[in-house]
Amino acid sequence: MKGARVRRHHGTTPRTTRLLGSLLLVMAAGAVTLGASPGPAGPDRGTAAPVPLDRVIPAPASVEPGGSPYRITEDTRIRVDGSRETRRVGAYLADVLRPSTGYRLPVTEHGRGGIRLRLAKGPFGAEGYRLDSGRSGVTLTAAEPAGLFHGVQTLRQLLPAAVEKDSVQPGPWLVAGGTIEDTPRYAWRGAMLDVSRHFFTVDEVKRYIDQLALYKINKLHLHLSDDQGWRIAVDSWPRLATYGGSTEVGGGPGGYYTKADYKEIVRHAASRHLEVVPEIDMPGHTNAALASYAELNCDGVAPPLYTGIAVGFSSLCVGKEITYDFVDDVVRELAALTPGRYLHIGGDEAHSTPHEDYVKFMDRVQPIVAKYGKTVIGWHQLTGADPAKGALAQYWGLDGTSGQEKEQVAEAARNGTGLILSPADRSYLDMKYDANTPLGLSWAGHVEVRRSYDWDPGSYLPGVPASAVRGVEAPLWTETLENSAHLEYMAFPRLPGVAELGWSPAATHDWEDYRVRLAAQGPRWDALGIGYHKSPQVPWPNE
Ligand code: ACM
């Protein structure tokens, strides 16, 4: 069905057609620029061709270049319909464009031409959009505001990289002529941030959210608790945050989000059309909770806080009733802070919980999540228990994971459990790129850019029905990462590849084409102040 709408994609387009298209675009750009009024001088003034419509990440489903480019000028308006949501997307676009263009770019319901955002019925789905560009303007059309927002991200990438700078740049600001029709392959395109091993401030999380939005990521999974830190205030168990959150890996001061902080993260994510998925990891990975409340331990003795990086040594006490009072309180308070549908209960690496206890624990805890109106997600070890109806399992195995373990996941998928794919040796953004990478871990091997991009979620796990795969997620664990610069060095340039696997039709998958599109992102990251790994696999433009 998707294939039928792809009128032009990388697998089937003769190179000559694409070259010819590019040449025409260059000529059209030149014509427009020649006729322009004088403006500030700049190195690319008069020579810049617009970015080709297919030089976008994630690759759009369908691209038809043609016609004259649109030029954003001091007279351009951002035209919206009367809805508050459309106006919001328009205001966001204006915020992106104003600093670098220096133009006023009023967001208005009036006038003609310009950049128009419109909601309309059409074959867009919940997140797709259509972009039409020509001499008189650019129109983005979508059925939902999320589609307009994703279309805005495409429009951003069609402008020169300098559009991302926060001071006035010379332009010209051309958008290539033609049409893009685009809709995601998967509804789940996630990124996980571990705020437990090291704590990240609200502003640091917001900065990461803004970067995720660039690539149409729509879920932010926050790993809010682990052995080294509990990061969310819980009124009924206050020491979880005040004591359990008081340190981090290496012994630093840690931290936690007040409920107001957390609401601000959720609000900011929603403004970028991301849903926050909170995770409380249990029954393992719980030392911070066990250290905060002695009564949660089977022996009634609280262990010390933990600042190392071992895993698998802690477990909630499955046989004590207070454990379920605790889980009920935490889930109730967290669900109340969560407008989204999902609550992640971890379930990985419960090496200190006997299997029978693990199954019992999950049988007790999953109904608590349902009682508070949320859908369970667990790491894929949940499939070793009995996943609740509608639950999702997040697969984090390796190419080398045993066939038996993969088969257990596949069987759960055949029985209705949806899958989110996060193979550690592909999508874990904290794995070192190579032996010289100064940050990160290497237990899943080294993961260079090609390895992280070059796999197919649709056929990754044998024996899994295609409909069970809900999408992909790129986890970023932070044992070695302490600040935004660290996060960015590990996420870029791999994050866009996982985003593309989640969004783009399988037919567009082509490493040689992808690496060229990825190279074009480098100057954008420079303009945004994002420091990234200069992978030797990518033909970055000369400095
Ligand atoms: C995991 O990496 N333990 C989910």
Side-chain angles (χ1 to χ4, degrees), residues 5-63:
R5 288 224 298 276
V6 178
R7 286 203 289 272
R8 177 171 185 273
H9 61 63
H10 306 275
T12 57
T13 308
R15 294 277 153 185
T16 44
T17 312
R18 302 180 75 201
L19 259 179
L20 190 61
S22 299
L23 274 174
L24 288 171
L25 288 174
V26 172
M27 288 161 65
V32 168
T33 309
L34 281 175
S37 57
D44 57 0
R45 182 128 194 114
T47 58
V51 176
L53 287 188
D54 58 4
R55 188 70 60 76
V56 171
I57 296 178
S62 162
V63 175

Side-chain angles (χ1 to χ4, degrees), residues 285 348-349 379 396 428 443 477:
H285 289 279
D348 58 324
E349 295 174 313
W379 295 105
W396 62 281
Y428 269 33
W443 60 263
W477 302 97

Side-chain angles (χ1 to χ4, degrees), residues 7 85 107 156 354 481:
R7 286 203 289 272
E85 295 275 28
V107 179
R156 248 172 121 162
L481 313 177

Side-chain angles (χ1 to χ4, degrees), residues 65-81:
S68 303
Y70 175 63
R71 177 168 186 163
I72 299 175
T73 70
E74 58 269 28
D75 296 326
T76 296
R77 295 159 183 244
I78 296 175
R79 291 172 52 216
V80 294
D81 60 29

